Amino acid sequence: MKKNLGFLFLTAAIIAVLGFSGFVRAEELTLTDSNSLSGAVDLPEPIVEPVAPAAPTNLLYAGYRVRRIRSIWTASTDPVTGYGIERAIITDLAAMQHGPWEEIGTTSADVTSYLDAGLPDGAGYLYRVRAYNGELASVYTKVMPAYTAPSTPTGLKVGSKHCGQVDISWDRNAGPNVAHMFGYIVYRDGTAIAGIPSYAIHIEDKNVVAGSTYSYTVAGYNAAGSRSFQTAPVSITVDSCVNPARTR
């Protein structure tokens, strides 16, 4: 009996010390819309890790021009802040070996083309593009080669070995980028009259009128169809074909 009374006195003392404020009735615990207990510490919002954007696609070369190359691509399907364009020079055309990649420019999110200008004649490059969203970058597009137009041919000569025709010749393009050459185009008075392969450096123009004067130029072109500047024009007056008088 004394033990029971001692326990009751001890319990009453503990309750008196702690008070009743530390006790919450079950009916006071309610759930909020966020499934947390009202009056409890709010849970932190879930952390969403940023994700790199999808890569742009369909990298194409919209124009091969003298000393410049324009590339275009299809925009990333994700939100982006811009695009980065990288280039590597082709050092061995046959083996498709190239130098190191370097970023040569950037565009804003709404620009999906880039003009690479100030390039040397007959040069070969590889290009690739990737999208940025802040500090995050996508993977690269597929890589494709592109070439500037070849250098202008030199040594243009016109003459007439036979009456009623014009002989046109020039020097073969040389240098480290000659492998990019595909052929030459010959112009008469500003109009293209012949396209010939790169190993040929001479043609005969027989579609001329004796006694008429013509002006000729030549340009080189590569496999993409990019043409060099034309040579300075060289003119000639076609000899007449006159049979010598018959004597008796």
Side-chain angles (χ1 to χ4, degrees):
M1 185 66 178
K2 291 181 179 181
K3 291 182 180 179
N4 292 337
L5 291 173
F7 175 77
L8 291 175
F9 285 126
L10 178 60
T11 303
I14 293 173
I15 293 174
V17 171
L18 296 179
F20 292 95
S21 61
F23 295 89
V24 179
R25 293 194 302 273
E27 59 268 21
E28 292 179 351
L29 297 176
T30 58
L31 294 176
T32 64
D33 292 339
S34 61
N35 296 327
S36 62
L37 294 174
S38 63
V41 176
D42 291 336
L43 296 176
E45 293 293 330
I47 299 175
V48 179
E49 294 292 339
V51 178
T57 56
N58 301 323
L59 178 61
L60 301 171
Y61 298 99
Y64 302 80
R65 297 289 185 269
V66 175
R67 300 169 188 158
R68 59 182 181 172
I69 296 171
R70 179 180 292 278
S71 55
I72 60 174
W73 58 90
T74 301
S76 170
T77 54
D78 294 327
V80 300
T81 54
Y83 298 93
I85 300 89
E86 295 188 7
R87 180 187 71 199
I89 188 169
I90 297 175
T91 55
D92 188 327
L93 179 64
M96 286 305 293
Q97 295 178 349
H98 61 83
W101 289 98
E102 61 175 338
E103 187 170 270
I104 59 172
T106 59
T107 69
S108 58
D110 59 342
V111 177
T112 55
S113 67
Y114 183 80
L115 178 64
D116 191 10
L119 303 172
D121 293 330
Y125 297 97
L126 299 177
Y127 290 86
R128 65 186 185 184
V129 178
R130 62 179 174 176
Y132 287 100
N133 187 7
E135 297 297 323
L136 297 174
S138 72
V139 298
Y140 291 102
T141 59
K142 292 183 178 180
V143 174
M144 290 185 65
Y147 307 96
T148 56
S151 56
T152 304
T154 59
L156 177 62
K157 301 178 182 66
V158 296
S160 181
K161 296 179 181 178
H162 305 282
C163 64
Q165 76 175 44
V166 175
D167 300 289
I168 306 109
S169 64
W170 57 93
D171 296 334
R172 182 175 288 108
N173 278 31
N177 298 315
V178 69
H180 303 157
M181 279 290 299
F182 197 77
Y184 300 95
I185 300 175
V186 180
Y187 299 83
R188 184 208 307 129
D189 295 335
T191 301
I193 61 170
I196 60 177
S198 59
Y199 57 79
I201 53 173
H202 171 267
I203 68 164
E204 297 173 348
D205 184 12
K206 298 181 178 180
N207 295 318
V208 293
V209 176
S212 297
T213 300
Y214 300 95
S215 178
Y216 292 89
T217 59
V218 177
Y221 69 98
N222 60 22
S226 296
R227 302 181 185 183
S228 71
F229 291 116
Q230 296 179 35
T231 62
V234 178
S235 299
I236 187 174
T237 300
V238 181
D239 293 337
S240 298
C241 295
V242 179
N243 292 327
R246 298 174 59 182
T247 60
R248 296 184 180 180

